[in-house]
Amino acid sequence: MEQEQKLTADQIIKFLEERNFKELKEELENLHPVDLVDAMEELDKKQRMLVFRLLSKEEAAEVFTDMNSDMREELLEALTDSELKEIMDEMYVDDTVDVLEEMPANVVDRLLMATDEETRKQINTLLQYPEDSAGSIMNIEYISLRKEMTVADAILKIRQVGINRETIYTCYVTEKRKLIGVVDVKDLLTAGESRLIEEIMDENVIYARTLDDQEQVANQINKYGLVAIPILDHEDCMVGIVTVDDAMLVLQDETTEDISIMAGVSPNEDSYFGTSVFQHAKNRSLWLMLLMLSATVTGEILGHYEDAMAVMPVLITFIPMLMGTGGNCGSQSSTLVIRGLAVGEIEFKDIFRVLFKEIRVAVVVGLMLAVVNGLRIYIMYDQNVMLAGALGLTMIAVVSMAKCIGCILPLLAKKLGLDPAIMAAPLITTILDTCTILVYFNIVTAFFHL
């Protein structure tokens, strides 16, 4: 562990400059592939190639899988066909598919040429599934057992084929490709060698379908604490598994996408520094333009109340506070509901429960804000009770309205098949700005007969 932490990009460069390849190779063997990729990002193209060629076939395949698309493309330009074939042979099929999906067509052709015919067929099968489906991220390499096998036979099979499987912790019992049970390695190791698999297998199997949404499958793995989940096709035949590491990547990507949408930015698969300035501007400008144009409605409404503001100019000073409070309250509710929808805690059928809870929260919060704000206005504006009362009532109404809109819109978006994240801070705030102005001026004009 100490060696892993000490080996930095600067030390790798020093080894290369001194041409001390033997010691560097030994150090690299103790470094985790992910940490090595991080270090290689700080090296130039020539140095990366030197380091990569010092790795064993197995290590090279893991490092290649963990690289970003730019580093992979750069590496592929320098690798020979034989070197590329060695790497592809060591990679799991689902990882190979992930790499292919990020590469340009000419690079994909070269990668496919480096694989054998059987692997190519498996890759093409996975590529045919929809992009966000369980089938597109599943691994077709898993341990399959028969119910009539003994524990000793099962352990022998794991020893024979386990080296080529991504995970061996859960084995799947199939009959004519139909999934009939699962067995953990722990159960195999603690059971008598003569016992049949049928006797120790668990027939209550949690599974997913090839066309299920990958986020839904990842949430299933998270919910049930699985190492992997079996994937069945439309004929109930087992075709692969989705492992927990793939599920983590899916949840990370989905979270990144939701955060981008909630911030009013078009989702982007590249890293922050890997995205050009023009692309950043393009991703952000569309939302900003839509929100800017929609804000003109608020301006038109304000224009409608010019006479009231001319009679009582002081009314203008409270607009930013009310709009800001309304936007913040709506954002709080929408964020909590979006999070609840994402983790499966809230569903559309819960809309009235959610609404009832948010109304109660709004009453409590609104009363607290109204009292504090009313006292402030009473002190600062010559003990004007009418003004303090009007603003207090407006505050309660705005908070209640904001909480209701903030919780309802994400649920409606989900029901309509849209991403609830679009109903986050930017859009909610813009909608509430307009509603706040309407509520505010209707209350003050009624109070002061303007």
Side-chain angles (χ1 to χ4, degrees), residues 79-228:
L79 289 174
T80 63
D81 290 341
S82 59
E83 287 174 324
L84 184 57
K85 188 175 188 317
E86 286 181 354
I87 294 170
M88 299 298 287
D89 287 344
E90 293 297 326
M91 289 174 63
Y92 296 112
V93 177
D94 62 328
D95 291 331
T96 305
V97 171
D98 290 339
V99 170
L100 293 174
E101 288 178 335
E102 296 176 3
M103 295 288 109
N106 60 321
V107 177
V108 170
D109 290 339
R110 189 176 172 217
L111 287 170
L112 287 174
M113 289 297 292
T115 59
D116 57 64
E117 188 176 345
E118 180 61 29
T119 304
R120 208 172 304 140
K121 283 174 62 179
Q122 294 171 348
I123 290 170
N124 288 330
T125 300
L126 293 180
L127 288 171
Q128 288 173 5
Y129 290 108
E131 186 179 351
D132 293 327
S133 67
S136 67
I137 60 168
M138 72 179 179
N139 191 330
I140 58 176
E141 298 160 330
Y142 57 91
I143 302 287
S144 175
L145 304 175
R146 300 189 310 278
K147 65 179 181 179
E148 62 270 14
M149 293 174 73
T150 63
V151 168
D153 293 335
I155 292 174
L156 180 60
K157 181 172 182 179
I158 292 171
R159 286 175 179 159
Q160 291 171 340
V161 302
I163 191 67
N164 298 317
R165 302 295 184 265
E166 189 167 355
T167 179
I168 61 169
Y169 301 112
T170 304
C171 303
Y172 302 92
V173 187
T174 58
E175 188 174 42
K176 296 181 180 178
R177 293 186 61 211
K178 307 285 185 181
L179 180 64
I180 58 174
V182 294
V183 180
D184 290 333
V185 168
K186 177 184 175 182
D187 296 329
L188 292 174
L189 295 176
T190 55
E193 291 189 350
S194 60
R195 293 191 65 187
L196 296 176
I197 295 299
E198 186 176 15
E199 297 173 13
I200 63 171
M201 72 181 187
D202 184 1
E203 297 180 25
N204 184 23
V205 184
I206 296 164
Y207 62 88
R209 301 281 182 181
T210 51
L211 298 181
D212 286 351
D213 185 86
Q214 60 182 23
E215 185 179 8
Q216 177 189 333
V217 175
N219 284 328
Q220 273 186 281
I221 291 174
N222 181 49
K223 178 180 179 180
Y224 296 106
L226 304 174
V227 174

Side-chain angles (χ1 to χ4, degrees), residues 18 79 95 105 119 162 176 197 204 268 308 343 356 370 381 394 396 426:
E18 294 174 354
L79 289 174
D95 291 331
T119 304
K176 296 181 180 178
I197 295 299
N204 184 23
N268 183 31
V343 300
F356 182 52
Y381 293 89
T394 302
I396 294 171

Side-chain angles (χ1 to χ4, degrees), residues 369-385:
L369 295 178
V371 170
V372 172
N373 196 47
L375 288 172
R376 179 183 72 86
I377 292 169
Y378 181 77
I379 294 167
M380 294 178 64
Y381 293 89
D382 300 324
Q383 300 181 353
N384 191 330
V385 177

Side-chain angles (χ1 to χ4, degrees), residues 242-421:
V242 173
T243 52
V244 65
D245 58 324
D246 291 326
M248 288 173 65
L249 288 174
V250 167
L251 293 177
Q252 178 183 308
D253 291 342
E254 294 293 341
T255 302
T256 301
E257 182 180 324
D258 286 347
I259 290 171
S260 298
I261 294 173
M262 290 172 72
V265 179
S266 299
N268 183 31
E269 292 183 0
D270 293 329
S271 65
Y272 176 83
F273 290 109
T275 304
S276 67
V277 171
F278 177 77
Q279 189 61 43
H280 272 302
K282 181 182 174 184
N283 291 343
R284 303 178 196 187
S285 58
L286 179 61
W287 272 101
L288 290 173
M289 203 170 295
L290 288 171
L291 296 172
M292 178 188 70
L293 293 174
S294 63
T296 57
V297 177
T298 307
E300 290 296 319
I301 293 171
L302 279 171
H304 183 69
Y305 292 102
E306 281 182 353
D307 294 340
M309 288 186 284
V311 175
M312 287 187 68
V314 71
L315 295 176
I316 301 172
T317 62
F318 301 113
I319 292 174
M321 175 197 67
L322 291 170
M323 290 172 63
T325 302
N328 290 335
C329 288
S331 298
Q332 286 178 340
S333 296
S334 66
T335 300
L336 291 173
V337 172
I338 290 167
R339 184 259 175 197
L341 288 167
V343 300
E345 183 183 321
I346 299 173
E347 297 179 13
F348 182 77
K349 65 181 181 181
D350 301 317
I351 185 168
F352 293 111
R353 286 179 60 199
V354 173
L355 187 59
F356 182 52
K357 173 158 279 191
E358 287 299 316
I359 288 172
R360 287 179 290 165
V361 172
V363 170
V364 175
V365 172
L367 283 171
M368 288 193 295
L369 295 178
V371 170
V372 172
N373 196 47
L375 288 172
R376 179 183 72 86
I377 292 169
Y378 181 77
I379 294 167
M380 294 178 64
Y381 293 89
D382 300 324
Q383 300 181 353
N384 191 330
V385 177
M386 286 286 285
L387 186 60
L391 266 295
L393 182 59
T394 302
M395 184 64 74
I396 294 171
V398 165
V399 171
S400 300
M401 173 190 65
K403 294 288 185 187
C404 292
I405 291 176
C407 72
I408 288 174
L409 288 183
L411 288 164
L412 290 176
K414 181 74 172 179
K415 183 66 174 177
L416 294 171
L418 303 173
D419 192 332

